[in-house]
Amino acid sequence: MKTIYLLIVLLPLLGAAIAGFWGGRIGRAGAHWVTSLGVGLSAALSLFVLGRFIWGDAQPFNESIYTWMVSDGLTFEVGFLVDELTAMMMAVVTFVSFCVHIYTIGYMADDQHNWPKESLAGTHSYQRFFSYISLFTFSMLMLVMANNFLQLFFGWEAVGLVSYLLIGFWSVRPSATFANLKAFLVNRVGDFGFILGIAAVAMYFNSLDYVEVFEQAKDPALGFADMQIQIWGDASWSLMSVIGILLFIGAMGKSAQVPLHVWLPDSMEGPTPISALIHAATMVTAGIFMVARMSPLYELSETALTFVLVIGATTAFFTGLIGLVQNDIKRVVAYSTLSQLGYMMVALGVSAYAAGVFHLMTHAFFKALLFLAAGSVIIGMHHDQDIRNMGGIRKYMPITWFTALLGSLALIGFPGFSGFFSKDAIISAVSHSEIAGSGYAYVLVVLGVFVTALYSFRMYFLVFHGDGPRDEHAKAHLHETPKVITVPLILLAIPSVFIGGLTIGPMVFGDWFANAIYVLPQHDTLSQVGYTGVMGFVQHGFMTAPLYLALGGLFVAWFIYMQKPELADKAKQALAPVYTMLDKKYWFDEAYQTVFAGGSRGIGKLFWFVGDRGLIDGLAVNGSAKTVGWAAGIARQVQTGYLFHYAIAMILGLLLLLTWFVL
Amino acid sequence: MLGDWPILSLVVWLPIIGGALVLANGDKHPESTRWTALVVAVLTFVASLSLWIGFDPGSAEMQFVERAAWIPAFNIDYYLGVDGISMPLIILTTFITIFVVVAGWEVIQYKPHVYMAAFLMMEGVMAGVFSALDAMLFYVFWEAMLIPMFLIIGVWGGPNRVYATIKFFLYTFFGSVFMLVALIYMYMQTPEYLGLSSFSILDFHRLPLTENAQFWIFLAFLAAFAVKVPMWPVHTWLPDAHVEAPTGGSVILAAIMLKIGGYGFLRFSLPITPDASMTLDWLIIAMSLIAVVYIGFVALVQEDMKKLIAYSSIAHMGFVTLGFFIVFQIGAQGIPGAALGVEGGMVQMISHGFISAAMFLCVGVLYDRLHSRNIADYGGVVHTMPIFAGFMVFFAMANAGLPGTSGFVGEFMVILASFRADFWYAFLAATTLIIGAAYTLWMVKRVVFGAVANDGVAGLQDINNREFFVLGALALAVLALGLWPAPLVEVMSATVANLLEHIAESKIPGG
């Protein structure tokens, strides 16, 4: 099996290297073939691995590949832990990545137009793009397959690197290079917490190996749950809360949770395929995966869980609201992603890790689908992304329309669709939670369902229904995109509809994750939901509020945007302050720009001009140089030019020194 | 048997003699001058590799020892040897020198023979500093190092080179005078405790010293080494020296000369004055953390690429001194992790040698073409120099400590270790994740990305084979150390363990 796991990881890397280093030689077709083949094989092998877990008798695999370093008794390794959780993640990552590779062949076909004519960076941009997305697949696989914190951090930063490279892919655009720097730095704020969390684990568990750490955490005799540490003065902190919160700060960066969410909407500057792959389906879910993987640690601290829950619920609701006022098709989907990531975090916060990971999976399919469909629309509209200019596209792009409809229904949790199962599982789990903050979270996630349906179908109706695009020229050229684009849409639409109902039983309410996820009995909210099979779950859905809220949102969207378009403007005027607040995204960007970006430059200038140049150089160095110069002016009188004068001076000096030391 | 060969002498004297030959060759045949210099540099590197091959990583003893009387009247010996701390630094020196020679190939047209000779002699002298086990020999090499560097900046430097060289010279000279006094003082103490007068550094390690003496000796060493590292607040010579120095000078300065300060702490301060080091560790820790945070902010607002990288060097070297001096607070708690800090500092030194060299070479590539180091004069370089841009982004990421590159390894180890000493040390040190990325990538954004800024950038030619070779080799080194640091850590672990054992014992007489 080790060979298979190595192949799964290394094939995408190989493809990336070939397309990246020899892109000019192998040409465009060579690049997309070699990378798609690498990722395709990797996906096939991942599905094989997953199949062995489902139908075979595969046991969790935990082995080191090589020892990175040994220092002071602490072993740093590179190795794989493949259990049910990892196998599921591998399958999702490689499958979505494969779809995106195929899609990219169509989407980036005319990329040379995005570059200045004489730009040499533009000559092989197509090959470079394939290289990057394959490199991303490698990095993400390293992240999910890690069996230790070192490799987790490696994967964590490597996906961040590729995200940086891809957001800024069209490096000639100032907005793109602004967005990628912002994304990297905000992620680094998260990583700052993350690395401290890893340092804490390394110190108190004296190991970086998952299994070794988790075994210690689960052992009540070692008493990690009650361990206290001092950080500031004499105040005691629960060790596990500190570790949990520090690690979670990393997840807040990567999974774009409030207040570190600001980078994700801007990341839409990148080409759409990577918005689907990296900024919706996979990389941004790394934080959710990480917390689920660390469930043995999080279970020991209700404080940390509450922290996760409150941050998640806040993100889920308040970023969803922003989605209501966005007019850029990709940004609507981006805010929807933020909101859905919040839902997943909420699930983790109430110890329903399985439900969080389950939503991660369904969301990966339907959100990748929605992004790719949006990309298809964008191509049809000749790169106009404003949904107010669209409309009626249903008639011109039937496959895009229908798959987007399926994706939207899955997103709002329409009964029977994948998203219904995963979202309802989360909401039910929250309703049974007794942890602090669960009341707050419950209200927000239930209200969030309405908001989700409203923004999703606002976009859906504006884009696909009503009268055709405003611009007659655009209308004349509007037609369905080629097969390389529509086939991935169909491939993703299938799981968006069916995967939820098929897998909810074993994954969420069964023992599929028994090896991977650890839940204390007193936190086990999922077992209280009372699951009685798929049909029972759907029936139960009809008796609870979220379903009607979703349908209500759908209806309101239809009513406002299809029936009474003037209502939208009236609402906007009536709620002007609220609208402004949402339009300005609660002023996070402005505040960060002023306080952090401006502030650091201010501090830098202060230190440089006042500290380095003023005090150290001006006063101390040049000041003493001047003093020496002045003293030398006097001392110059002594310089007689006679050798014996100097000799006497030297001897006297030596004598002085010696006396001082000897006495 | 490798051990029977005077390899260290070879590594020290081959480049010095080679340099003398190059110098004697005169400026008539620049081509043969360059090739001779390259052959000498490569041979020296190969010779130094045999140190690695023949090294016994299980032993903490000095290896490849050579000893002969030099000035018998004062018991001063020609005494060389290496352990797990100095050996990697010597190989770093010989490795980097090759690239300095290649990088100056056709760029240096003015007196190339003197230029090449200066760097070769510099190489030998620096190898001497790392291998000297006699304090006087060390001191001679230490001071001799200043002369070629003084010439390199003074002759091939920028417009403000006179100020920079004087500042550089006075700063470092000021520091080393105190060190000389301390060395002489200890020499005078040796007969009483050890029965004979000796300048042997290993004898100094065994020399009992009163608390008061240790205090002053520690400060004397601190003056010398802190300037070299450089540590805040005696760092201001470095940005000026870098800005004025030619590319090769900056590379040697950043990649190797700064390491001599770090090496000094391990070879002198910690083992000779362990009690004072323990009492005054807070001072070094504070200076290190200020270097990481304060200097990071200063780097952020630099408009000159070389200054920015110079400040970045100071911040990165803060990790080295932090890693070395947290050992007492970790040891006091009776938990492991002290070796992690020291080894982390060492790895950081080697890694910074690669990365800072590469960063300065990158700036050199641009400077050779447009004769400007100002960030504002660039923009959109990726459109005309895509291969160069790839290297620059790669090294920038390494500078920002991306895992998989060497820049991550040392920082990670030191952060893990400093967390054990005090949460807030780790907290402040880890801010480099944000600040380091901010100043490095912001520079990259303004220089490499964006639209083509001006006609100068529009006319740029991508790197040639020579430049590709230099940057490619360094990129491989950065990756290799980042992906598999185990071999490096392995050769130093016995030495570090021995050092930690040694400094755990008080040297106060009767104490």
Side-chain angles (χ1 to χ4, degrees):
Chain A
M1 285 315 280
K2 192 165 167 178
T3 322
I4 291 180
Y5 295 135
L6 273 173
L7 279 176
I8 290 175
V9 172
L10 294 179
L11 284 171
L13 180 65
L14 186 70
I18 294 173
F21 292 130
W22 294 283
R25 205 161 298 169
I26 60 174
R28 290 163 55 115
H32 69 231
W33 271 104
V34 73
T35 49
S36 306
L37 210 64
V39 171
L41 280 173
S42 179
L45 290 172
S46 299
L47 289 173
F48 167 74
V49 168
L50 182 67
R52 272 176 45 96
F53 274 104
I54 298 174
W55 294 291
D57 54 350
Q59 290 303 308
F61 171 96
N62 183 16
E63 252 181 59
S64 156
I65 303 299
Y66 73 92
T67 302
W68 190 69
M69 176 178 83
V70 182
S71 176
D72 216 354
L74 197 58
T75 310
F76 299 77
E77 291 196 322
V78 173
F80 297 148
L81 169 64
V82 183
D83 56 11
E84 288 81 354
L85 177 60
T86 306
M88 188 277 285
M89 289 298 290
M90 285 159 62
V92 170
V93 168
T94 52
F95 177 74
V96 175
S97 175
F98 180 64
C99 290
V100 167
H101 272 76
I102 304 296
Y103 179 91
T104 301
I105 298 172
Y107 193 87
M108 298 299 274
D110 298 321
D111 190 49
Q112 64 272 22
H113 301 309
N114 292 312
W115 297 84
K117 212 183 289 163
E118 65 285 358
S119 167
L120 294 178
T123 44
H124 300 311
S125 68
Y126 183 84
Q127 289 92 317
R128 196 166 67 247
F129 191 84
F130 276 95
S131 170
Y132 287 172
I133 51 179
S134 271
L135 181 64
F136 169 78
T137 313
F138 159 76
S139 312
M140 190 70 200
L141 286 169
M142 288 297 278
L143 192 163
V144 297
M145 290 169 75
N147 74 347
N148 64 79
F149 287 83
L150 168 76
Q151 190 180 331
L152 172 71
F153 194 71
F154 168 80
W156 195 263
E157 293 275 288
V159 291
L161 165 75
V162 191
S163 163
Y164 167 84
L165 293 172
L166 283 167
I167 296 170
F169 186 76
W170 288 317
S171 56
V172 69
R173 300 181 185 169
S175 55
T177 57
F178 174 81
N180 76 341
L181 183 61
K182 178 173 170 182
F184 199 86
L185 293 183
V186 174
N187 267 291
R188 273 292 171 104
V189 175
D191 298 346
F192 164 76
F194 199 52
I195 204 168
L196 290 177
I198 292 176
V201 169
M203 176 176 177
Y204 290 98
F205 293 88
N206 209 25
S207 170
L208 289 173
D209 183 86
Y210 284 164
V211 173
E212 281 178 30
V213 171
F214 297 160
E215 288 308 319
Q216 290 182 56
K218 287 180 197 168
D219 186 351
L222 295 173
F224 274 102
D226 305 314
M227 204 175 281
Q228 303 284 315
I229 56 170
Q230 266 94 34
I231 291 180
W232 188 266
D234 292 332
S236 294
W237 297 69
S238 148
L239 172 67
M240 296 316 295
S241 299
V242 170
I243 289 179
I245 290 171
L246 285 174
L247 290 175
F248 184 67
I249 291 172
M252 285 162 68
K254 197 71 41 196
S255 295
Q257 298 294 297
V258 171
L260 298 182
H261 64 287
V262 291
W263 65 272
L264 187 63
D266 285 11
S267 78
M268 296 300 127
E269 289 297 331
T272 306
I274 65 114
S275 307
L277 176 63
I278 301 183
H279 304 120
T282 55
M283 183 188 85
V284 288
T285 61
I288 285 91
F289 166 78
M290 186 274 289
V291 175
R293 176 54 88 206
M294 305 295 155
S295 56
L297 304 183
Y298 279 92
E299 280 301 291
L300 299 187
S301 166
E302 290 203 359
T303 316
L305 285 173
T306 296
F307 189 76
V308 173
L309 178 63
V310 171
I311 295 278
T314 308
T315 307
F317 183 71
F318 290 99
T319 58
L321 284 182
I322 302 177
L324 290 173
V325 301
Q326 294 296 312
N327 292 317
D328 181 315
I329 185 167
K330 282 181 74 180
R331 291 204 176 230
V332 179
V333 190
Y335 279 101
S336 155
T337 305
L338 283 175
S339 166
Q340 298 304 308
L341 291 168
Y343 274 94
M344 297 175 210
M345 287 298 181
V346 166
L348 305 175
V350 296
S351 296
Y353 304 98
V357 173
F358 180 58
H359 194 50
L360 183 167
M361 176 184 73
T362 61
H363 175 260
F365 294 123
F366 65 72
K367 192 52 68 70
L369 167 62
L370 281 173
F371 260 120
L372 294 186
S376 178
V377 169
I378 292 170
I379 296 177
M381 291 292 295
H382 292 275
H383 294 271
D384 181 355
Q385 301 190 180
D386 194 323
I387 53 176
R388 289 168 299 187
N389 298 337
M390 301 175 186
I393 288 179
R394 175 175 56 111
K395 291 179 291 232
Y396 305 94
M397 307 178 83
I399 302 177
T400 304
W401 159 68
F402 191 66
T403 50
L405 174 63
L406 295 179
S408 302
L409 289 172
L411 169 60
I412 69 165
F414 194 82
F417 285 72
S418 292
F420 164 79
F421 293 100
S422 53
K423 198 174 291 181
D424 258 29
I426 293 174
I427 295 171
S428 311
V430 179
S431 71
H432 288 96
S433 174
E434 282 159 11
I435 191 172
S438 54
Y440 168 80
Y442 183 71
V443 173
L444 290 188
V445 293
V446 169
L447 289 178
V449 172
F450 177 78
V451 176
T452 308
L454 188 55
Y455 67 66
S456 301
F457 274 85
R458 167 181 175 259
M459 180 178 86
Y460 169 79
F461 286 124
L462 283 177
V463 171
F464 291 106
H465 289 262
D467 297 329
R470 269 189 212 170
D471 187 57
E472 285 304 320
H473 179 73
K475 197 169 178 175
H477 286 84
L478 199 53
H479 58 80
E480 184 61 277
T481 40
K483 280 212 175 62
V484 280
I485 290 184
T486 51
V487 168
L489 295 181
I490 297 167
L491 280 180
L492 286 166
I494 298 166
S496 299
V497 178
F498 297 112
I499 195 95
L502 286 177
T503 59
I504 184 170
M507 266 181 80
V508 181
F509 298 105
D511 59 357
W512 168 254
F513 287 129
N515 286 320
I517 287 173
Y518 172 75
V519 184
L520 288 177
Q522 65 267 33
H523 291 156
D524 194 359
T525 45
L526 282 174
S527 69
Q528 298 172 45
V529 172
Y531 179 76
T532 54
V534 176
M535 287 320 291
F537 196 75
V538 176
Q539 276 176 359
H540 178 258
F542 275 97
M543 289 181 286
T544 52
L547 174 64
Y548 297 99
L549 284 169
L551 294 177
L554 199 162
F555 175 77
V556 171
W558 172 78
F559 187 73
I560 295 181
Y561 294 99
M562 292 282 81
Q563 300 300 308
K564 305 259 182 228
E566 67 276 10
L567 262 181
D569 284 330
K570 275 188 192 154
K572 196 163 149 184
Q573 277 151 20
L575 298 168
V578 179
Y579 176 81
T580 314
M581 180 179 76
L582 294 179
D583 191 44
K584 292 285 179 192
K585 305 148 202 157
Y586 313 108
W587 293 278
F588 269 106
D589 283 326
E590 285 80 358
Y592 286 0
Q593 189 65 31
T594 318
V595 175
F596 296 117
S600 341
R601 279 197 297 257
I603 294 173
K605 289 224 166 86
L606 181 82
F607 285 168
W608 189 34
F609 288 113
V610 178
D612 264 40
R613 287 184 155 182
L615 292 177
I616 298 175
D617 262 2
L619 214 63
V621 178
N622 296 345
S624 36
K626 280 190 193 116
T627 319
V628 170
W630 172 79
I634 299 170
R636 195 170 299 145
Q637 318 295 329
V638 190
Q639 288 201 359
T640 55
Y642 292 110
L643 199 63
F644 72 90
H645 283 172
Y646 297 146
I648 289 173
M650 273 171 69
I651 291 163
L652 280 175
L654 265 176
L655 275 176
L656 264 172
L657 267 176
L658 284 179
T659 3
W660 187 64
F661 278 121
V662 175
L663 293 181
Chain B
M1 182 61 200
L2 270 172
D4 301 337
W5 288 67
I7 296 172
L8 284 172
S9 283
L10 191 66
V11 172
V12 173
W13 294 104
L14 180 65
I16 294 180
I17 294 166
L21 286 178
V22 165
L23 195 63
N25 192 22
D27 55 359
K28 299 277 180 347
H29 314 286
E31 202 57 18
S32 70
T33 292
R34 292 176 186 129
W35 281 105
T36 317
L38 181 61
V39 168
V40 171
V42 170
L43 284 179
T44 313
F45 174 63
V46 171
S48 70
L49 279 185
S50 61
L51 295 176
W52 182 286
I53 295 162
F55 191 81
D56 173 13
S59 161
E61 296 297 311
M62 287 294 166
Q63 305 184 29
F64 302 96
V65 174
E66 297 169 34
R67 190 166 195 172
W70 179 29
I71 309 175
F74 296 100
N75 279 349
I76 298 174
D77 289 346
Y78 176 77
Y79 183 13
L80 301 177
V82 286
D83 59 6
I85 291 168
S86 48
M87 191 268 286
L89 290 166
I90 290 180
I91 294 178
L92 176 71
T93 308
T94 59
F95 180 69
I96 294 293
T97 303
I98 297 177
F99 303 114
V100 171
V101 170
V102 178
W105 204 254
E106 58 222 31
V107 179
I108 300 297
Q109 292 294 339
Y110 178 70
K111 291 191 188 295
H113 66 297
V114 185
Y115 182 85
M116 294 298 177
F119 278 109
L120 288 179
M121 291 180 170
M122 186 83 188
E123 176 187 16
V125 171
M126 289 185 301
V129 170
F130 289 128
S131 51
L133 292 180
D134 183 280
M136 269 303 122
L137 186 64
F138 173 85
Y139 186 77
V140 168
F141 280 130
W142 168 280
E143 294 293 9
M145 209 166 51
L146 292 181
I147 301 162
M149 188 47 86
F150 189 82
L151 285 177
I152 288 162
I153 302 176
V155 177
W156 290 272
N160 205 11
R161 58 181 183 262
V162 176
Y163 173 75
T165 40
I166 303 277
K167 196 170 177 183
F168 162 71
F169 194 86
L170 286 183
Y171 244 119
T172 44
F173 197 71
F174 165 82
S176 53
V177 167
F178 291 101
M179 177 171 74
L180 179 63
V181 173
L183 295 177
I184 294 172
Y185 172 79
M186 287 189 291
Y187 170 75
M188 286 158 50
Q189 299 297 306
T190 45
E192 185 182 334
Y193 290 106
L194 304 175
L196 79 168
S197 58
S198 164
F199 266 116
S200 157
I201 297 171
L202 298 182
D203 285 341
F204 288 173
H205 287 184
R206 294 188 290 132
L207 182 70
L209 290 164
T210 64
E211 205 171 352
N212 196 34
Q214 284 197 33
F215 178 79
W216 290 106
I217 293 171
F218 179 85
L219 289 186
F221 282 140
L222 179 61
F225 302 140
V227 166
K228 261 296 189 283
V229 167
M231 300 179 75
W232 183 91
V234 287
H235 63 277
T236 59
W237 63 273
L238 187 75
D240 285 320
H242 271 307
V243 166
E244 300 305 326
T247 303
S250 286
V251 169
I252 291 296
L253 200 54
I256 303 160
M257 274 186 77
L258 307 190
K259 311 302 175 299
I260 290 170
Y263 170 74
F265 283 116
L266 289 186
R267 181 65 78 230
F268 292 88
S269 304
L270 284 172
I272 292 176
T273 60
D275 303 284
S277 301
M278 187 158 82
T279 324
L280 291 174
D281 65 348
W282 60 270
L283 178 67
I284 309 282
I285 291 169
M287 285 161 72
S288 308
L289 289 172
I290 292 174
V292 173
V293 179
Y294 167 107
I295 298 292
F297 278 111
V298 175
L300 192 64
V301 295
Q302 296 306 310
E303 283 145 16
D304 179 311
M305 286 188 266
K306 270 191 153 183
K307 268 200 176 167
L308 194 150
I309 301 166
Y311 276 110
S312 149
S313 288
I314 303 167
H316 281 100
M317 291 301 286
F319 273 90
V320 175
T321 43
L322 179 67
F324 292 167
F325 279 85
I326 49 178
V327 296
F328 298 102
Q329 297 190 20
I330 299 173
Q333 301 173 54
I335 52 173
L340 191 64
V342 177
E343 288 167 6
M346 275 295 299
V347 172
Q348 174 81 346
M349 290 216 283
I350 303 288
S351 155
H352 181 257
F354 297 149
I355 297 170
S356 64
M359 290 298 281
F360 279 117
L361 285 165
C362 280
V363 177
V365 164
L366 291 176
Y367 185 80
D368 291 342
R369 285 162 173 71
L370 289 191
H371 300 287
S372 167
R373 296 177 314 258
N374 271 332
I375 293 172
D377 290 339
Y378 293 89
V381 169
V382 67
H383 299 296
T384 44
M385 303 177 74
I387 300 173
F388 168 77
F391 277 117
M392 179 117 176
V393 171
F394 173 78
F395 290 120
M397 282 293 170
N399 200 45
L402 192 82
T405 68
S406 62
F408 167 71
V409 187
E411 286 182 14
F412 187 58
M413 292 167 82
V414 172
I415 289 172
L416 290 196
S418 57
F419 193 94
R420 293 159 188 239
D422 191 312
F423 175 85
W424 296 102
Y425 298 167
F427 182 91
L428 289 172
T431 55
T432 195
L433 252 68
I434 307 164
I435 309 174
Y439 59 69
T440 315
L441 296 181
W442 192 32
M443 177 181 78
V444 166
K445 170 181 184 279
R446 290 175 292 169
V447 172
V448 175
F449 297 132
V452 170
N454 51 45
D455 291 345
V457 174
L460 283 175
Q461 292 287 316
D462 210 337
I463 49 175
N464 57 32
N465 287 337
R466 179 179 59 81
E467 291 161 331
F468 185 87
F469 161 75
V470 170
L471 294 178
L474 284 169
L476 285 181
V478 167
L479 266 185
L481 182 53
L483 292 176
W484 198 38
L488 176 63
V489 176
E490 201 178 286
V491 295
M492 62 177 75
S493 60
T495 309
V496 170
N498 182 52
L499 172 74
L500 290 172
E501 236 168 75
H502 175 82
I503 63 172
E505 282 168 30
S506 170
K507 281 179 77 180
I508 299 170

